[in-house]
Amino acid sequence: MSDQAVRALRRGVAALVLAGLVLAPWAVDDYTAALLARTLALGLVGVSVALLTGVAGLPTLGQTAPYAAGAYASALVAGRLSDVGPVQVAVAAAAGAALAAVTVPLVVSARGVVVLMITLAVGELVVTAAGRWRSVTGGTDGLAGIPPVRPLWGMPVLATDRARYLYTLAVVAVLLGVVLLVLRTRVGLLLRAGRDDEARLRASGHRVSAHVAGVHLAGGAVAGSAGALLVVAQQYVSPADFGFDTSALLLLGVVIGGAASVAGALVGTVVVIAARDWLFGVLPGQAPLVLGLAFVVTVYLLPGGERRPAVRGRLLPGVPNRRRPADRPTPSEVRV
Amino acid sequence: MAAGIRIDPYLVPALDGVAYGLLVFVAAAGLVLCFGVAGILNLAHGTLFAIGGYTAAALLDGGWPSLALALVAGTVAAAAAGALVAGLLTRSAARSHLTQALLTFGVALAGGSLLVGAFGPDDPPVRVPAALDGSVAVVGHRYPAYRLVFIAVAALLAGLLHLAVRRTRAGMLVRAAVDDAEMVAAMGVSPTRIRVGVLAIAGGLAGAAGVLGAPIIGPGTDTADTVLLLSLVVVVLGGLGSMAGTLLAALAVGQIQTLGVALAPSTAPFLLFAAMAVVLAVRARLPLAPRRAT
């Protein structure tokens, strides 16, 4: 497949998915509408994964951590403080950003595959902690009986699955718009520059560590607000929503959608999660096997074998006394 | 005995911690090799451990021959699975860490599903050899005999591993590949052979750990995830490629998971997290020491 054909294919899929997303709740039953709302929330987490992995070049498997923090924060706020949607989303975003801030010291100096390892460990540890911290999170039983949400002050509560789906879609659209707008400014340029040539950006006086910390906080906030949407969509939250499988599916969706494209990541994640939910419906026993084979096949079918991976740092962790200096250009990367 | 009274209740968890730590070390050593030599983050590593565990559960019948058989079968099966992962990671499939992570995770997911399909969704019981099934007295406490023997065997394995990496030609090639893979290739050693070999050895280590450790971390649906997480934490704590560091980190993680749980039951997961935060933060402040290969 040539690059152009792939791009056209991606655009076609994106248009179809977007049209389908708006019309979907009228075409399906309530249960599917609720599943789709949860899928959209995961799509928003996919946006945060793409922000870190594709735009900033920091591959992550741990965005379920701020997602979980946001979901639990929003569930607690809904039960005790406020049933207004934007308040819950704001609190959840703050919780996600706070969790990301705690983990920034872990990741700020890591690059490449080490980021994958550390974020994976962080994500798993957060899920374990959520399962043990029974007084706040309800342990592995989760939190149920979350009161319904109001989209804005003074509006009636959302009582149907269709209404909750449309609310989720609206919030996802707004947040995706914000992310896309911010990435069009200087911020997006700086992040991409850091991904493509960190040493050069550093040499020209930019504080790359601050950029990395900032994008982690932003990614955490986006994933946290997705957590608020998850709570609205399924009115229940438990550690099972944030497992390692979820992180890997998100990464698959983001890679399929084109890691550097934030909107593509949303579409890719939605497609992958919807495929998973459908598979578990039709093949209850064999779903993980089919899903695993799908991962392997996807890796072989993905385009772009010759391109340099758009990831900060090298494949191996830094080795200062390596005989071959890292920044000596090899023939494939000579700049003109 | 007067001085021993205060530490007495914590002796058994501390000993458990040593057994647990050595088990995690043998499992994580494979991950260190994969990561250090081939630069591969093998997310299927926990599944390779689970292969060993299920083999032990299926073959052990309480006698010594069955233990030897299970050890050989589990190690060979897991090594073959490791070689399969290496075979799947062709040049185009391994082009970036993202595709590597996706591919190895796909193998883990499919492998886990096959294991559950073959052995059932319940955690199977593991029968250790009858001679080791009892308990022995350790400073006035009853302690499972198998765990004491396990500590000795795992320490022996760790020593052998150290000797193999330091003294044998294969170990030297592996260390050379960590330092300068291109130079090793120029000497006429195929990088593919090294990669496949390392992944197979890593798989074999995970399988051996799975068989010997089955009475400690038994086979089950969560095993793969648990072992992968613990190994990752240990590899990160141990300095990403140093065997000695990995051993220290594994022993520390073992103590956190056993003694830590005994002392402060509710904070154990946070303790692992905190240990990682402290080590990484300290390391980021220090000037980078020249890294020695494995």
Side-chain angles (χ1 to χ4, degrees):
Chain A
M1 276 197 282
S2 73
D3 270 10
Q4 270 182 337
V6 169
R7 223 169 287 150
L9 187 74
R10 271 194 192 139
R11 256 184 225 143
V13 170
L16 271 180
V17 169
L18 285 178
L21 283 177
V22 178
L23 299 175
W26 283 275
V28 297
D29 57 302
D30 280 352
Y31 174 68
T32 316
L35 270 188
L36 279 177
R38 189 184 70 179
T39 309
L40 274 181
L42 278 165
L44 192 56
V45 189
V47 166
S48 79
V49 174
L51 186 65
L52 287 166
T53 303
V55 177
L58 299 159
T60 173
L61 274 170
Q63 280 305 96
T64 45
Y67 178 46
Y72 281 114
S74 137
L76 294 174
V77 166
R80 292 172 198 176
L81 212 64
S82 163
D83 60 354
V84 181
V87 174
Q88 294 180 6
V89 172
V91 169
L99 191 94
V102 174
T103 55
V104 156
L106 297 178
V107 287
V108 75
S109 56
R111 295 291 181 268
V113 72
V114 182
V115 185
L116 270 182
M117 298 175 75
I118 294 174
T119 51
L120 172 58
V122 167
E124 290 274 286
L125 286 172
V126 166
V127 174
T128 316
R132 299 263 176 91
W133 198 6
R134 210 151 299 189
S135 55
V136 174
T137 64
T140 44
D141 297 336
L143 291 174
I146 295 159
V149 69
R150 273 174 221 287
L152 282 174
W153 291 265
M155 285 176 76
V157 296
L158 300 175
T160 65
D161 283 315
R162 188 185 292 169
R164 283 192 282 269
Y165 170 84
L166 290 175
Y167 164 77
T168 311
L169 185 61
V171 176
V172 169
V174 168
L175 289 176
L176 179 65
V178 170
V179 171
L180 287 175
L181 277 179
V182 171
L183 284 181
R184 287 175 77 99
T185 64
R186 202 178 136 77
V187 175
L189 268 181
L190 283 175
L191 287 178
R192 292 196 178 91
R195 171 193 73 195
D196 292 339
D197 197 336
E198 187 175 332
R200 209 165 169 186
L201 194 65
R202 217 182 266 279
S204 55
H206 291 280
R207 295 184 55 207
V208 175
S209 307
H211 299 174
V212 169
V215 76
H216 265 287
L217 287 190
V222 172
S225 35
L229 298 181
L230 172 81
V231 170
V232 169
Q234 62 180 20
Q235 297 175 295
Y236 169 71
V237 55
S238 82
D241 292 315
F242 314 110
F244 173 31
D245 298 16
T246 312
S247 309
L249 282 168
L250 286 170
L251 196 60
L252 180 69
V254 167
V255 169
I256 288 180
S261 147
V262 171
L266 178 70
V267 175
T269 314
V270 166
V271 168
V272 166
I273 300 288
R276 184 215 36 196
D277 289 341
W278 174 77
L279 262 180
F280 271 91
V282 292
L283 286 172
Q286 267 69 50
L289 181 60
V290 177
L291 213 54
L293 294 178
F295 270 87
V296 175
V297 171
T298 310
V299 167
Y300 280 97
L301 291 183
L302 278 174
E306 297 305 311
R307 259 180 287 163
R308 275 189 72 209
V311 166
R312 284 180 200 231
R314 284 163 294 142
L315 210 63
L316 291 168
V319 185
N321 62 346
R322 192 172 272 241
R323 259 161 273 158
R324 187 167 50 86
D327 44 10
R328 192 182 69 193
T330 57
S332 63
E333 56 186 37
V334 170
R335 296 180 203 94
V336 283
Chain B
M1 282 307 282
I5 287 169
R6 242 170 295 137
I7 58 154
D8 220 29
Y10 302 114
L11 185 73
V12 169
L15 213 52
D16 266 346
V18 175
Y20 203 89
L22 283 171
L23 175 59
V24 174
F25 169 72
V26 178
L31 208 60
V32 171
L33 282 179
C34 275
F35 184 71
V37 179
I40 289 170
L41 171 58
N42 186 2
L43 296 181
H45 198 70
T47 312
L48 303 180
F49 181 95
I51 290 179
Y54 277 111
T55 313
L59 293 181
L60 288 184
D61 59 2
W64 289 105
S66 70
L67 181 62
L69 181 67
L71 187 56
V72 171
T75 308
V76 168
L84 174 75
V85 173
L88 284 172
L89 283 169
T90 54
R91 201 181 167 75
S92 76
R95 61 187 173 270
S96 78
H97 352 290
L98 289 183
T99 51
Q100 281 176 13
L102 291 178
L103 190 123
T104 52
F105 177 74
V107 172
L109 205 56
S113 169
L114 288 176
L115 283 176
V116 169
F119 295 99
D122 304 320
D123 299 0
V126 179
R127 295 187 57 196
V128 300
L132 299 179
D133 208 7
S135 54
V136 290
V138 179
V139 207
H141 288 279
R142 309 298 300 170
Y143 193 75
Y146 184 84
R147 291 198 178 190
L148 275 188
V149 176
F150 176 84
I151 290 176
V153 172
L156 183 72
L157 263 182
L160 285 178
L161 193 63
H162 176 80
L163 278 183
V165 169
R166 284 276 145 211
R167 297 267 179 266
T168 64
R169 183 173 165 75
M172 286 174 194
L173 273 179
V174 163
R175 283 188 290 137
V178 175
D179 274 351
D180 197 335
E182 284 170 20
M183 189 56 86
V184 175
M187 282 162 51
V189 183
S190 153
T192 313
R193 264 182 54 202
I194 292 188
R195 200 185 62 222
V196 174
V198 164
L199 270 136
I201 291 170
L205 279 171
V211 173
L212 295 174
I216 297 170
I217 302 182
T221 42
D222 296 338
T223 311
D225 270 8
T226 312
V227 171
L228 180 65
L229 170 66
L230 287 175
S231 308
L232 276 181
V233 171
V234 163
V235 172
V236 171
L237 284 179
L240 301 160
S242 134
M243 277 291 177
T246 309
L247 178 60
L248 282 181
L251 289 174
V253 165
Q255 292 304 332
I256 290 176
Q257 292 287 78
T258 55
L259 199 57
V261 171
L263 288 171
S266 56
T267 52
F270 304 101
L271 279 177
L272 270 185
F273 192 86
M276 235 170 78
V278 169
V279 168
L280 288 175
V282 167
R283 198 175 300 142
R285 298 271 179 285
L286 292 177
L288 279 169
R291 194 174 74 138
R292 299 279 296 279
T294 46

